[in-house]
Amino acid sequence: MVTTVESSPQTILSTRHLTWALLALALGGFAIGTTEFMTMGLLEEIADGIDRSNATTGHIITAYALGVVVGAPVIVSLGARLPKRELAIGLILALGVGNAITAMASGYLPVMIARFVAGLPHGAYFGVASLLAASLVRPEFKGRAVSSVMLGLSVATVVGVPASTVLGQHLGWRSAYWVVLALAIATALMIFAFVPHSPANRDASVRGELSALKRPQVLFAVSAGMIGFGGLFAMYSYIAPLVTKVADQSSAWIPWFLLVFGIGSVLGSWLAGILADWDVERSVLLGFAGTVVALVAFFFAAPHVAPAMILVFTVAVISSVVAINLQVRLMHAAGEAQMLGAALNHSALNLANGLGAWLGSVAIAAGYGYRASSLVGAGLAVAGLAIFASGIAVQRRTVRP
C-alpha cells in the first residue's frame, strides 16, 4: 500500500488514516450485515415473543428486504446534493434507529414495520460508502476500496450474526437489536473522525440521479444481478434441509456449513477487490460461469458432507466476487450517478434473494427434491451470464468506430 493517498485536490491521507477511514465505512457494513442476517438466527425467539408461527414471522425478513429495494433508489436520489460523509452518518444512524424501534416494538405488525424502516438505509449506505471509499484512493485501487466496505458485511456473517444470535438466545431477542444500535453509533463517530469531509454537489438533482436508470448498461448490470445472483439463494435458502435431509446429518452440522459459507464470503470479498482492479467485466463473466459449474457440481455432491461443504465454500467465494464486481460495474455505468449505481446493486441482490428462494421452492414443491434447488440456481446463473454478456456486446457495438 502506498504511504499517502489523494482523496481530493485538498486532502491527502496517510496510510494509517486511510486504514481507519476504510474501517469506519466497513463497520457500517458489519452493522448492516449483522442486522440483516441475525433475524434468521433468532426467528424462533422472535416468533415466541410476538406470538406468531415461524412461517408468519418469516415475513419480517421479507419486510426488511423490501425496505432495501425501496430505500436504495429513493434515498440516494433525494440525498444526491448532500455532503457524502454527512449522508453516510445520517444513514447509519437511521439504521440504528430502525433497530431501536424493532427492539421496542410489540406485536407482529409493529415489528414488521420496524424491520421495513430498518431496511430503508441499507442500500443507500452501501452506495454512499462505496463512493466515499473509492474517492480516498488512486483509481487503480478503487476496486479494493469498494470491496473493503463490503468486507464488513461478509465478516458479519462469520462474527456478528453468530454472536448476536447467541446474545439474543440468552438475553432475549431484543438485546441483539440494541447491539446494532450501538454499532451504528460507533460507526457514525468513526466516520466523523476519520473520513474527510467532501463538499455537497449542488448540481446534483433527483432527475439527474434517476437518469442512470435510462442507461442500457445500468439496466443490463442490474438485471444480471437480480436474476443471476438468484442462483446463490436458490440453493443457499435451503441449506438446512440439504444438510439434514439430503446429506443425512444432524442439525448440529448446519452451523458449520454456515460458518464455511461466511469464511468463503470474507475471502471472496477480499479477492473481489483485486479482481475488480484487474478487469471488472471478465471478473463478472468468470464469476457467473464459475457459479454455474459449482451449483451443478453441488447437485451431485450434496449427499456427501465433505464435497458439499467445499462447494458451499466455493459458491460463497465466487458469489462475493460477482456481487462486488457488479457494484463496481454499476458505479462505472451510472456515469455521474455513481452513488445510485452502487445502491441499485443492493436492491438487485435483495430481489435476487426473493426470486431464487421462490423458484427453489417451486422445484421442491413439484417433487424434485431439495437438490433440485441447486440446478434451479445454475439456470439462474446461466441467465445472469447471458444478460451480462449481452450488455458487453451491446456496449462494444456502441463504441465501435
Side-chain angles (χ1 to χ4, degrees):
M1 178 67 71
V2 292
T3 55
T4 60
V5 181
E6 273 190 52
S7 63
S8 72
Q10 296 79 29
T11 306
I12 295 181
L13 300 182
S14 67
T15 301
R16 182 179 179 183
H17 196 152
L18 172 65
T19 300
W20 280 104
L22 294 177
L23 281 174
L25 296 170
L27 182 60
F30 180 84
I32 290 175
T34 299
T35 191
E36 180 179 17
F37 295 113
M38 74 182 186
T39 302
M40 303 170 190
L42 292 171
L43 196 63
E44 291 186 353
E45 286 76 13
I46 297 172
D48 290 339
I50 63 177
D51 195 25
R52 288 291 192 277
S53 67
N54 288 348
T56 301
T57 304
H59 295 161
I60 70 174
I61 298 174
T62 305
Y64 182 92
L66 183 60
V68 179
V69 173
V70 172
V74 173
I75 295 175
V76 165
S77 299
L78 294 176
R81 300 182 66 180
L82 297 176
K84 292 180 178 57
R85 182 184 70 169
E86 286 68 23
L87 178 57
I89 291 173
L91 288 168
I92 200 63
L93 289 177
L95 178 94
V97 170
N99 279 270
I101 295 173
T102 303
M104 294 185 291
S106 298
Y108 171 67
L109 186 59
V111 170
M112 178 177 286
I113 294 172
R115 294 314 291 156
F116 174 80
V117 171
L120 289 173
H122 176 130
Y125 174 82
F126 278 116
V128 66
S130 296
L131 204 58
L132 278 169
S135 72
L136 297 176
V137 301
R138 295 202 305 262
E140 62 266 31
F141 294 122
K142 284 188 176 183
R144 270 165 273 200
V146 173
S147 72
S148 69
V149 177
M150 297 292 291
L151 187 62
L153 192 151
S154 297
V155 172
T157 64
V158 180
V159 180
V161 175
S164 60
T165 300
V166 171
L167 180 70
Q169 289 171 342
H170 288 82
L171 299 181
W173 64 269
R174 298 177 190 275
S175 64
Y177 292 102
W178 286 119
V179 168
V180 176
L181 171 62
L183 288 171
I185 293 173
T187 300
L189 292 173
M190 287 185 66
I191 291 176
F192 181 79
F194 297 110
V195 177
H197 169 77
S198 57
N201 182 5
R202 298 302 179 187
D203 296 327
S205 65
V206 173
R207 179 178 295 181
E209 288 292 311
L210 293 179
S211 67
L213 297 175
K214 298 179 181 179
R215 292 173 173 260
Q217 292 307 312
V218 169
L219 297 178
F220 274 117
V222 168
S223 299
M226 182 177 67
I227 296 173
F229 209 77
L232 161 68
F233 293 108
M235 180 273 286
Y236 189 64
S237 297
Y238 303 99
I239 194 64
L242 281 166
V243 172
T244 57
K245 299 182 184 304
V246 177
D248 196 27
Q249 302 298 312
S250 72
S251 59
W253 275 93
I254 297 174
W256 290 106
F257 273 80
L258 299 179
L259 177 62
V260 164
F261 182 88
I263 294 172
S265 296
V266 171
L267 177 60
S269 296
W270 170 78
L271 182 61
I274 297 173
L275 291 175
D277 290 330
W278 165 65
D279 192 312
V280 171
E281 293 177 357
R282 290 182 182 179
S283 296
V284 175
L285 290 172
L286 291 173
F288 274 135
T291 301
V292 174
V293 173
L295 287 174
V296 171
F298 185 84
F299 174 81
F300 296 101
H304 313 288
V305 174
M309 191 171 284
I310 291 171
L311 286 166
V312 165
F313 174 83
T314 303
V315 169
V317 172
I318 297 173
S319 297
S320 292
V321 169
V322 171
I324 293 172
N325 277 273
L326 274 175
Q327 180 151 321
V328 176
R329 170 70 171 177
L330 277 165
M331 290 172 68
H332 292 165
E336 295 299 318
Q338 289 188 27
M339 188 163 62
L340 178 61
L344 283 174
N345 190 45
H346 294 273
S347 292
L349 298 186
N350 275 270
L351 287 170
N353 189 340
L355 177 66
W358 174 65
L359 289 178
S361 71
V362 170
I364 294 167
Y368 294 105
Y370 288 104
R371 292 168 64 191
S373 63
S374 64
L375 294 183
V376 171
L380 288 171
V382 168
L385 175 61
I387 293 169
F388 192 78
S390 298
I392 293 175
V394 169
Q395 176 179 269
R396 290 177 178 172
R397 286 199 301 269
T398 303
V399 300
R400 181 180 297 171

